[in-house]
Amino acid sequence: MAGLRTVAAIVLTLVTLALLHTGVTLMVAGAMAAMVATFAIREKEVRGQAITLALGLPIALAAMTLAALLHTSIIAGDVFFVALIFGAVYARRFGDRGMALGLIGFQVYFVSLFVHATVPTLPELYLTLAVAFVCSAVVRFAVVPETPEGTLRRLREAFRARLAQLVATHVELVDAGPKQLDGVLDDLRRHTARLHEAALMIQGRLEEGTRDAAVAGLLQRRVADAEIAAERLGVMLLNARSAERTDTLTLHLPDAPVPAMMNRVQAEGDAVGTLRRDLEALHLLVARAPGDRGTGLAHVRNRLLGYRDEDNLPPGTPAVQDAFRGLGEAARAVLGLRLALDGPQDESDDSPATTRSREEFDAEDLAIVGAEESADSEDDRTGLQRPTTRAACQVAVGSALAIVGGEFLSTQRWYWAVLTCWVVFLNTASTGEILVKGYRRLLGTVLGVVAGVALAGLVGNHTWSAFFLVLLCVFGMFFTAPLSYALMSFFVTAMLGLLYTLLNTYSLATLVLRIEETALGAACGIIAAVVVLPVHTDRRTDEHLGTVLVRLREVVSAAVEQLSGGPAVDLLSRARDLDTALDDLRGSTQPLMHPITPLRGRRQTARYLVALLDTCAYHARSLAATAELVPFSKTVAADPRLERAGLRIACNIDLIVARVADEPAEGEVESGASIASMLDADDSPALRSGTVTFRVLRHLQRLDEGVVGIARSLDVPVTGRSGSRNSPVAAEIP
């Protein structure tokens, strides 16, 4: 959508300027200004977008004016450019608006250098900028509108599509032989991760995309239920086809071993046919259109929901019956998602199991209230320790170096080095991230130069053909930006080759100079990041790791307390805070896991650690979703015995957090006795597979194992304890 919006703004600007009979140079300036005015604004509310766009025009005019006035004053122009860069980066501390206005100021100043703005050309440039901003506003608010409600609506449909993809992969998993298993597992991991990403994107848009807090809370709950049920179904299917228990880590780590290569579920006879049929039926329920009705679909839904009752489970091994239970829970989650997204449905063909599920949803709907808005915590760091201040100082120093070095390479194109130094600092926060981003930009630039040479020779003197290819490059730049920074840089450089052609300044030497300036700018950025107030990757990773562990402890402790009969709290919001912190950690570890890193051991450790945390987050989300049923469900009751089971996990996490933060801590991480064995001391009947307490213990057991694995990965002392290792309850936990 960002690519379409930007391309449309550029097209409208070019058409308008062409009707005004402006020259090619002004058309190039207008196209670049329209692109900046469109992509710089990232606010979610329409009113905020309008205000930022209105403020951006005078800033753009001021930047263009100062660039033209300082055109002949080299030293003064360079000093102002560095000051502008510092201010643009420092403005990021004021949120999306500050970042957008700073970006507009910098980019328009860069455009003025690119088209060689002078005082006599200012009136025409003012008109060009005004046209570009007006066209950007028309496209943004009328042609390709971006509203929070519309974005959330598209995300909801995307989540439904991702869920259908994952269920289709579940069908493939049942039939996959030993040779196909690795490929299917890769698909399973990828689709599970993408479903999780879609759920997080919905979470980020709920507040602005829904007017009613209760509706937002309901949608959040239903999306979380569907995500958790789908991921749990994948784990149960892996267990059903394996000779022994499959660790949940298999869904998050490509190198995780698969216990059995043969497909044991194929030996179940009629059960495997029923399982395949019902998985396809579940896919039908997920993928059907919102208004689709019919007795056939109702029959399928009723059959799947019937698996929530023990009496309706087909005969088979315990693992296969678990898979059918997972099908029933997934069908329930899909029904809840349909009710939340599409509204009330026809209930005339409901079976008793379906009626019970609807009654549960009604009870939950009455209990769900909008979560109170929590005030964002202020960053308690001040002065040079504030991230925006540090980044501004680093970029200013790096840009000054790039200006000096760029002047030696070319007195006309030195600003390319400054641009590279600027962009490698955007959305980066550590030395390692800047190094990787600089490498990717250089790689994309080299490949883009080759493409630029080919495209320039292809278009020749055909102006509109060149503009058409520029539009394709702009769309490719936005479309590939979330996927690969190298690809985005490739499209940027190819576009510049076409713009040079339009300005009649194209030459092979110019594009080669582009590579040299890019390498210089990346080097200056890296030097500034290393020398000026450096933030080492290890330090940043440790900060995010500590945050993830704290969030994990909060979710697990609160969920276990509620499952034990404690007061109800907003667990799903806490679980999403954990997911957000985990995403931040994943981003900070990218330099450690990049293929060019020479530290292979650290790369393997980082990958394993993130996979363990992904696994722990899955089990924490599952605990939170189950715990939120306790206050109003007829089938999920609190169990006071569970309180003791969560204490060891919380204590172990506290010890790891202290170790990561280099704080003194007494004791060692405890392992050995299973979580389930803690219930053996009570004179209570044995737990049956499929009960809620059994499921909770399974998640706690996996959490305990994951936390111990994290401790071992971080060299935190671990002690074992014997005595209850062979607990009969523990033996039942798959």
Side-chain angles (χ1 to χ4, degrees):
M1 295 303 296
L4 289 175
R5 191 175 298 111
T6 305
V7 168
I10 294 174
V11 169
L12 185 58
T13 301
L14 291 176
V15 171
T16 305
L17 292 176
L19 293 175
L20 295 175
H21 304 289
T22 58
V24 174
T25 300
L26 292 176
M27 293 178 72
V28 170
M32 297 179 71
M35 181 175 66
V36 173
T38 306
F39 79 76
I41 299 175
R42 299 183 180 180
E43 291 179 85
K44 299 173 183 176
E45 293 287 349
V46 175
R47 182 175 179 272
Q49 296 171 15
I51 293 174
T52 303
L53 191 60
L55 293 175
L57 180 56
I59 289 178
L61 294 175
M64 184 68 73
T65 302
L66 289 169
L69 292 174
L70 298 173
H71 178 69
T72 57
S73 303
I74 298 177
I75 296 178
D78 291 348
V79 171
F80 173 76
F81 198 15
V82 172
L84 175 63
I85 291 171
F86 178 89
V89 177
Y90 186 79
R92 291 161 58 182
R93 66 174 293 190
F94 301 108
D96 289 338
R97 180 167 299 162
M99 184 173 182
L101 295 178
L103 189 58
I104 289 173
F106 170 82
Q107 292 287 2
V108 171
Y109 194 93
F110 173 81
V111 170
S112 69
L113 297 175
F114 187 75
V115 299
H116 302 289
T118 58
V119 174
T121 61
L122 278 179
E124 293 178 317
L125 287 170
Y126 288 163
L127 176 62
T128 300
L129 289 177
V131 168
F133 272 75
V134 170
C135 290
S136 176
V138 170
V139 170
R140 176 178 292 276
F141 302 120
V143 181
V144 190
E146 181 183 17
T147 63
E149 294 82 5
T151 302
L152 182 60
R153 182 174 60 254
R154 290 193 299 271
L155 287 175
R156 284 159 38 179
E157 293 305 314
F159 181 84
R160 202 193 312 250
R162 291 299 190 198
L163 183 59
Q165 285 181 335
L166 183 55
V167 175
T169 308
H170 290 157
V171 178
E172 296 177 6
L173 182 62
V174 172
D175 295 327
K179 294 182 179 179
Q180 296 84 29
L181 183 58
D182 288 341
V184 174
L185 282 177
D186 288 340
D187 291 340
L188 185 66
R189 296 184 189 104
R190 184 173 66 257
H191 292 315
T192 300
R194 287 179 174 176
L195 181 69
H196 181 58
E197 290 172 1
L200 284 181
M201 293 175 74
I202 290 176
Q203 171 70 16
R205 293 284 182 168
L206 278 177
E207 184 176 348
E208 297 84 6
T210 51
R211 301 300 180 187
D212 189 352
V215 174
L218 175 63
L219 182 58
Q220 177 188 21
R221 174 66 203 227
R222 298 297 172 246
V223 168
D225 283 345
E227 178 195 356
I228 294 167
E231 190 165 0
R232 182 187 297 138
L233 179 59
V235 175
M236 291 178 174
L237 290 174
L238 284 173
N239 282 331
R241 60 166 293 139
S242 302
E244 55 189 82
R245 175 178 61 84
T246 301
D247 199 299
T248 317
L249 188 64
T250 304
L251 288 182
H252 304 287
L253 184 64
D255 299 333
V258 181
M261 294 303 295
M262 63 178 296
N263 191 349
R264 292 178 60 87
V265 75
Q266 298 292 343
E268 293 294 325
D270 295 338
V272 65
T274 304
L275 184 60
R276 185 189 302 108
R277 179 201 65 184
D278 288 337
L279 283 170
E280 293 173 348
L282 179 63
H283 181 270
L284 178 64
L285 289 179
V286 174
R288 68 183 177 90
D292 211 354
R293 298 286 190 272
T295 56
L297 289 172
H299 174 73
V300 167
R301 181 193 61 212
N302 293 339
R303 185 178 73 245
L304 296 182
L305 288 172
Y307 293 144
R308 299 184 64 207
D309 297 326
E310 292 290 320
D311 297 338
N312 294 328
L313 293 176
T317 62
V320 171
Q321 289 193 327
D322 264 348
F324 281 105
R325 292 189 189 95
L327 267 170
E329 293 299 327
R332 179 189 184 277
V334 171
L335 174 61
L337 191 64
R338 286 287 177 183
L339 292 172
L341 298 182
D342 306 331
Q345 301 176 0
D346 184 12
E347 303 179 12
S348 58
D349 297 319
D350 283 359
S351 66
T354 305
T355 301
R356 176 166 66 91
S357 297
R358 290 189 190 275
E359 290 174 351
E360 291 174 355
F361 287 132
D362 291 339
E364 292 177 23
D365 294 350
L366 293 175
I368 291 177
V369 293
E372 296 181 1
E373 294 184 1
S374 57
D376 294 332
S377 59
E378 293 287 339
D379 195 333
D380 57 0
R381 290 175 288 186
T382 59
L384 296 178
Q385 294 302 316
R386 190 186 296 273
T388 49
T389 307
R390 179 192 296 113
C393 293
Q394 290 175 328
V395 178
V397 172
S399 298
L401 294 175
I403 289 174
V404 174
E407 290 279 5
F408 282 106
L409 287 176
S410 171
T411 57
Q412 299 295 321
R413 312 291 182 194
W414 54 269
Y415 45 78
W416 291 121
V418 180
L419 180 65
T420 299
C421 182
W422 158 277
V423 297
V424 297
F425 276 95
L426 289 179
N427 299 320
T428 55
S430 69
T431 305
E433 292 178 40
I434 293 171
L435 177 63
V436 170
K437 193 171 184 180
Y439 154 77
R440 288 172 173 166
R441 185 168 183 85
L442 181 59
L443 176 63
T445 299
V446 172
L447 298 177
V449 164
V450 177
V453 172
L455 292 175
L458 179 64
V459 299
N461 295 323
H462 298 84
T463 300
W464 289 105
S465 298
F467 272 123
F468 175 74
L469 291 175
V470 166
L471 293 175
L472 291 181
C473 289
V474 169
F475 182 80
M477 177 176 65
F478 280 91
F479 188 80
T480 58
L483 306 175
S484 169
Y485 186 73
L487 275 177
M488 189 197 76
S489 300
F490 164 82
F491 283 108
V492 170
T493 305
M495 177 188 68
L496 290 175
L498 292 167
L499 293 178
Y500 278 132
T501 302
L502 290 168
L503 295 174
N504 295 318
T505 57
Y506 166 79
S507 68
L508 181 60
T510 300
L511 292 182
V512 172
L513 177 64
R514 162 78 172 158
I515 296 177
E516 296 172 347
E517 296 280 3
T518 299
L520 175 64
C524 291
I526 294 170
I527 291 172
V530 172
V531 175
V532 181
L533 305 173
V535 176
H536 298 295
T537 304
D538 289 347
R539 173 187 165 187
R540 177 167 169 78
T541 301
D542 286 347
E543 289 177 354
H544 284 304
L545 177 58
T547 302
V548 171
L549 291 171
V550 170
R551 296 285 183 269
L552 179 63
R553 187 197 188 285
E554 291 174 352
V555 175
V556 174
S557 298
V560 171
E561 183 179 3
Q562 191 161 317
L563 286 164
S564 305
V569 295
D570 187 4
L571 290 172
L572 286 182
S573 292
R574 297 190 183 190
R576 287 309 179 200
D577 290 341
L578 167 62
D579 291 331
T580 301
L582 187 53
D583 274 355
D584 292 339
L585 173 65
R586 193 178 292 108
S588 68
T589 58
Q590 286 301 312
L592 301 177
M593 295 189 285
H594 196 274
I596 67 172
T597 180
L599 305 174
R600 304 296 181 183
R602 289 178 63 190
R603 183 173 69 177
Q604 293 298 327
T605 300
R607 290 180 61 201
Y608 182 66
L609 188 60
V610 171
L612 279 175
L613 288 168
D614 274 330
T615 302
C616 290
Y618 157 69
H619 291 293
R621 287 194 301 271
S622 299
L623 281 175
T626 305
E628 286 213 337
L629 296 174
V630 171
F632 39 80
S633 175
K634 298 178 181 179
T635 59
V636 181
D639 189 338
R641 298 177 299 169
L642 293 173
E643 183 177 4
R644 295 198 310 271
L647 290 178
R648 186 170 80 186
I649 297 176
C651 293
N652 286 346
I653 293 176
D654 286 340
L655 290 172
I656 299 174
V657 170
R659 176 62 178 267
V660 170
D662 290 328
E663 297 176 354
E666 297 182 358
E668 297 178 330
V669 171
E670 183 181 340
S671 68
S674 70
I675 291 292
S677 67
M678 296 182 179
L679 272 65
D680 289 349
D682 298 320
D683 296 331
S684 56
L687 292 175
R688 292 187 301 109
S689 178
T691 62
V692 174
T693 302
F694 185 91
R695 181 192 301 173
V696 168
L697 283 175
R698 175 164 55 193
H699 291 307
L700 287 172
Q701 183 67 40
R702 298 298 156 258
L703 270 168
D704 184 60
E705 294 171 356
V707 170
V708 172
I710 293 170
R712 291 196 171 102
S713 299
L714 298 174
D715 294 328
V716 179
V718 177
T719 182
R721 187 180 67 181
S722 60
S724 302
R725 192 182 301 264
N726 297 320
S727 161
V729 177
E732 290 293 326
I733 302 292

